[in-house]
Amino acid sequence: MPITDLVRVYIPATVPMLAALRVDGRLGTGPTVAHAVTPALREWYAEGDEEELEYVAFTRAAQAALQLLRHDPAAPRRRVVVSADVPSGDLVREDVELGSSTVRLPQPVSLKEIASIHLDGADAAESVAAAAEVVEEALAGDPDAQFTVDGAEDHELEWYAVSELDGLT
């Protein structure tokens, strides 16, 4: 049997998406946007080591989680990033812009592919709520909005094992 190369991807999510993962055993319903260390990211950040590149991809997934929160006002104001190891052949590069970490997964991610779950602590809720309101403006270059988003990014996401999923939803 051939050995499949696995790639770590960081998938932006919300607490309701974690609840669906617990019930369905998979994250997402179709093509899923994620972040990973891509050739474009490596080229853009050539001086970065693997750990720094992974952190950039992870941080971008956390920011994308803010965008999900903006569009789901009923979701608890906590960023969620799901780390998963998927076959490299399953990744579709979403953008070839220099520095891009965006990839697309053509199908949902199964629970067995998930390595860990990262979630804001309750103390971050106020900062995350404010950042979710202005994340689009920050991405468009508004410095005041970026300051608010940076305030949410000052909160480190907490790490959870997949076995702790039941306690997170």
Side-chain angles (χ1 to χ4, degrees):
M1 176 178 272
I3 297 175
T4 304
D5 287 332
L6 297 177
V7 174
R8 173 67 48 99
V9 296
Y10 303 99
I11 306 163
T14 62
V15 172
M17 291 171 72
L18 290 181
L21 169 65
R22 188 172 48 92
V23 171
D24 301 336
R26 57 194 185 129
L27 183 64
T29 56
T32 303
V33 173
H35 293 269
V37 177
T38 63
L41 181 59
R42 282 186 198 286
E43 185 178 343
W44 172 74
Y45 196 46
E47 71 280 356
D49 64 20
E50 193 66 21
E51 187 175 323
E52 289 171 316
L53 293 168
E54 293 282 343
Y55 186 75
V56 169
F58 178 87
T59 301
R60 289 179 179 172
Q63 189 171 63
L66 287 173
Q67 292 173 282
L68 292 174
L69 289 173
R70 181 172 181 153
H71 300 290
D72 185 357
R77 306 284 95 179
R78 297 169 80 182
R79 296 169 298 165
V80 177
V81 175
V82 176
S83 298
D85 296 316
V86 300
S88 60
D90 287 357
L91 294 183
V92 177
R93 286 197 181 53
E94 190 64 12
D95 191 348
V96 292
E97 181 179 315
L98 186 63
S100 175
S101 62
T102 306
V103 295
R104 184 172 296 276
L105 304 168
Q107 66 261 348
V109 174
S110 70
L111 193 55
K112 67 180 178 156
E113 294 174 303
I114 295 174
S116 58
I117 300 165
H118 310 268
L119 177 69
D120 272 313
D123 63 324
E126 188 176 320
S127 295
V128 170
E133 290 297 317
V134 298
V135 66
E136 301 292 339
E137 292 83 352
L139 290 170
D142 181 318
D144 292 333
Q146 186 59 54
F147 182 79
T148 302
V149 168
D150 290 345
E153 291 176 357
D154 287 343
H155 296 273
E156 292 290 326
L157 277 75
E158 298 172 358
W159 181 95
Y160 294 92
V162 176
S163 61
E164 297 177 274
L165 178 61
D166 289 345
L168 300 178
T169 59

